[in-house]
Amino acid sequence: MNSTAAKAVTACCAMLAALPLAVLAAPPGVRAAAAAPPARPAGAALGVRLGDPTLAVVRATLDGRERKRLLADQLPLALASHAAPPARVASEPAESVDPATGLPYAWQLAAVRAPQALRLVAGGPPVAVIDTGVDTSHPDLRGSVRSRVDLLGQRSVADFDGHGTFIAGLIAARANNGIGTLGVGGNTPLIVVRASTGESFTQLALADGVLAAIRRGARVINLSVQANTLDFLLRDALERAVALDVLVVAAAGNTGSSGNLPQEPAVSLGGPRGAVGAGLSVAATLPSGAAARFSTRNDSVSLAAPGAMGDCRRGVFSTIPRATDTSFDHDAPKLCGPLIFAPGPFGAGRYAYGQGTSFAAPIVSAVAALVFAAQPRLHADQVARILMRTARQANGQRGWNPATGHGVVDAQAAVELARRFDVTPPPARAQIARISPTTWRVRVLPSRDPVRRGQLREGGVRYAIVVEERGRRRLLARPTSRPPVRSVRLPSTSKGLRLFVVACDRVLNCASRSFPLVR
């Protein structure tokens, strides 16, 4: 598709039940319509971010039952089950050269070094695609869909538009089947959430889709949508994803050549000037690694991935539905309409070229899944750090810029770093002394970030103290590099408290130790 490929999102016009994040450990509830704040303009940061030390500290104090209550369902399956030894990655027809360009049809694979990464890990944990559905009968997508959710009440995820099927192929087109193309994520399973059948989505549907994806065990959520504002329902859903350690990846937007207006939710997810934010904002690049002209540029762009070519009829290569009445078919006769490949050269399914940041984002989502599989103990903020640390700028450039962020994602380098990344927290230690019947003195003891063979050490230990009373937690000492000393007094109305001492390293590997304080 052309540079309008990222779908417009319309403001929701109804109010239904949502899951608030007013308190991290609060059970699901209903937000009253009367309390609804207005939609906020693009660029208003979420109230929580992946790299927030306070969030990491509180999360470290949660036990398994509390995590399950937060999800209101089952926790994701063990990630280790997705890290099976990779099989040999055979070349697919789409890796042959397009004579019109001199590049492989699926040039995006080599551009992000996906085949090399897939020799190290076969696939990742589930990626949720919240979009227009997926043609699950496509020969290159058979067996790639683990879970299906239809938010339209039709008990189907059939894709009448083509946008969702194209995204699904970029992530999870099957390897070693001798047809079509290969998804960057290899054998990564998909959670398909159909939130629309056409050109627009309500933000209410997207919010419901985010929550549904979390409940079904998504570790990565792909949002290839764009809007000028962010409704509070979708904002709440995204904040819940961050709190539950799910990585949200969004298309940066396609306004670069038409005013460059910042687009949601990407501008609220990406951190400022390359820092870790609430998720990742992804720009689109040409085969050279330079940003596509239409790709939105701003201080929230995290990194980039292939999403365009110099020829506006070409772009990245992926699957489209076998039905011939999709948006790809409607756009094909236009001057910059996508090239479509009928069944035959690449197998029984249909394929096409497409342009847009909509199609750059799923490439990053797929690589994120591979990183999770390479080291199952990683948190979402650590995966984001790894992707940004290993991204490559074009022409030997270094550092961050508003067009491509940290550069084009590098799957091989990211997987290799994930295997060596520091995932071991420093020990949490403290001395507790009772100085009166209702008062205790807490002295946090210093600790060192441990060294593990073959693993990097980040260092930078910080300490915090959390107090829990009647199921609610509060910070007694915020994260600090100097071990804190505090006095804790038992309220007259309380029979006891629970005290947590937490130690975290620079990349937020956190350990906690609890102490009951009883009258």
Side-chain angles (χ1 to χ4, degrees):
M1 301 178 76
N2 60 23
S3 62
T4 61
K7 301 294 184 177
V9 183
T10 60
C12 71
C13 57
M15 176 67 65
L16 295 178
L19 298 179
L21 194 67
V23 179
L24 181 59
V30 177
R31 181 185 287 271
R40 298 171 71 180
L46 297 185
V48 64
R49 61 184 177 88
L50 290 172
D52 186 347
T54 300
L55 175 62
V57 163
V58 177
R59 187 188 288 142
T61 69
L62 300 178
D63 60 28
R65 288 180 300 174
E66 290 169 317
R67 291 177 185 273
K68 286 185 179 181
R69 189 169 80 245
L70 277 172
L71 281 170
D73 204 337
Q74 295 270 310
L75 285 170
L77 298 174
L79 299 185
S81 64
H82 302 289
R88 182 179 66 87
V89 180
S91 62
E92 306 291 354
E95 293 183 80
S96 62
V97 172
D98 181 346
T101 65
L103 295 172
Y105 289 92
W107 61 273
Q108 69 267 13
L109 297 172
V112 301
R113 299 207 291 174
Q116 294 90 329
L118 292 172
R119 294 188 186 103
L120 302 174
V121 59
V127 174
V129 175
I130 304 174
D131 215 272
T132 60
V134 169
D135 179 1
T136 58
S137 68
H138 194 290
D140 232 354
L141 294 172
R142 287 174 185 162
S144 65
V145 177
R146 165 173 293 185
S147 181
R148 311 175 192 195
V149 181
D150 178 32
L151 299 177
L152 308 181
Q154 299 172 6
R155 298 183 179 182
S156 170
V157 294
D159 185 7
F160 302 111
D161 180 87
H163 196 256
T165 300
F166 198 93
I167 288 168
L170 289 168
I171 298 170
R174 297 292 83 176
N176 302 321
N177 59 6
I179 63 171
T181 186
L182 167 66
V184 171
N187 294 332
T188 296
L190 298 176
I191 297 170
V192 176
V193 182
R194 189 172 73 161
S196 174
T197 58
E199 291 291 325
S200 64
F201 301 79
T202 67
Q203 293 203 26
L204 172 61
L206 293 174
D208 284 344
V210 169
L211 298 177
I214 294 170
R215 292 195 193 98
R216 283 159 179 78
R219 293 300 281 118
V220 183
I221 294 175
N222 188 86
L223 288 174
S224 290
V225 295
Q226 64 178 29
N228 294 338
T229 60
L230 187 64
D231 186 88
F232 84 97
L233 282 173
L234 181 53
R235 178 177 294 274
D236 277 359
L238 293 172
E239 289 180 347
R240 178 165 285 268
V242 174
L244 292 171
D245 202 27
V246 177
L247 181 60
V248 182
V249 180
N254 298 331
T255 63
S257 56
S258 56
N260 201 45
L261 185 68
Q263 295 297 290
E264 295 285 6
V267 71
S268 288
L269 290 169
R273 299 185 66 81
V276 175
L280 292 172
S281 170
V282 182
T285 54
L286 302 163
S288 66
R293 188 169 61 91
F294 59 76
S295 186
T296 305
R297 293 150 168 80
N298 55 54
D299 284 354
S300 295
V301 173
S302 308
L303 71 171
M309 295 184 79
D311 177 355
C312 65
R313 299 205 66 192
R314 289 174 168 83
V316 291
F317 184 92
S318 189
T319 51
I320 61 172
R322 293 197 286 180
T324 58
D325 192 31
T326 69
S327 61
F328 283 82
D329 299 283
H330 297 160
D331 290 344
K334 299 177 182 177
L335 179 63
C336 278
L339 287 177
I340 295 175
F341 299 86
F346 301 103
R350 293 206 309 157
Y351 299 83
Y353 279 120
Q355 295 204 41
T357 57
S358 272
F359 305 143
I363 293 174
V364 171
S365 294
V367 177
L370 298 182
V371 170
F372 270 122
Q375 175 46 269
R377 293 174 61 187
L378 289 168
H379 293 294
D381 62 285
Q382 295 170 330
V383 172
R385 291 175 194 273
I386 288 170
L387 294 178
M388 291 190 288
R389 280 189 189 181
T390 55
R392 295 171 292 126
Q393 296 285 13
N395 302 322
Q397 298 176 10
R398 300 179 65 86
W400 175 92
N401 67 65
T404 60
H406 286 278
V408 175
V409 67
D410 185 330
Q412 180 182 1
V415 167
E416 289 174 345
L417 178 57
R419 289 182 163 184
R420 299 184 296 115
F421 201 75
D422 183 356
V423 292
T424 306
R429 306 183 303 149
Q431 292 177 341
I432 310 293
R434 192 167 195 160
I435 57 179
S436 81
T438 59
T439 306
W440 288 261
R441 189 74 164 173
V442 183
R443 181 183 298 275
V444 177
L445 301 178
S447 60
R448 296 188 63 185
D449 196 18
V451 179
R452 294 288 184 268
R453 186 173 181 179
Q455 188 179 100
L456 302 173
R457 183 174 69 173
E458 293 290 341
V461 179
R462 296 168 71 86
Y463 311 89
I465 303 175
V466 176
V467 173
E468 178 191 352
E469 182 181 10
R470 298 176 182 175
R472 295 179 67 89
R473 290 175 173 82
R474 62 182 175 85
L475 281 171
L476 183 63
R478 293 186 174 276
T480 174
S481 58
R482 185 173 183 177
V485 178
R486 294 289 189 277
S487 293
V488 183
R489 183 181 296 275
L490 196 65
S492 59
T493 57
S494 175
K495 295 181 179 180
L497 301 172
R498 191 158 56 138
L499 183 82
F500 296 90
V501 173
V502 183
C504 303
D505 64 16
R506 185 176 287 109
V507 292
L508 301 184
N509 294 305
C510 298
S512 69
R513 185 177 178 185
S514 64
F515 301 87
L517 306 181
V518 183
R519 187 179 297 274

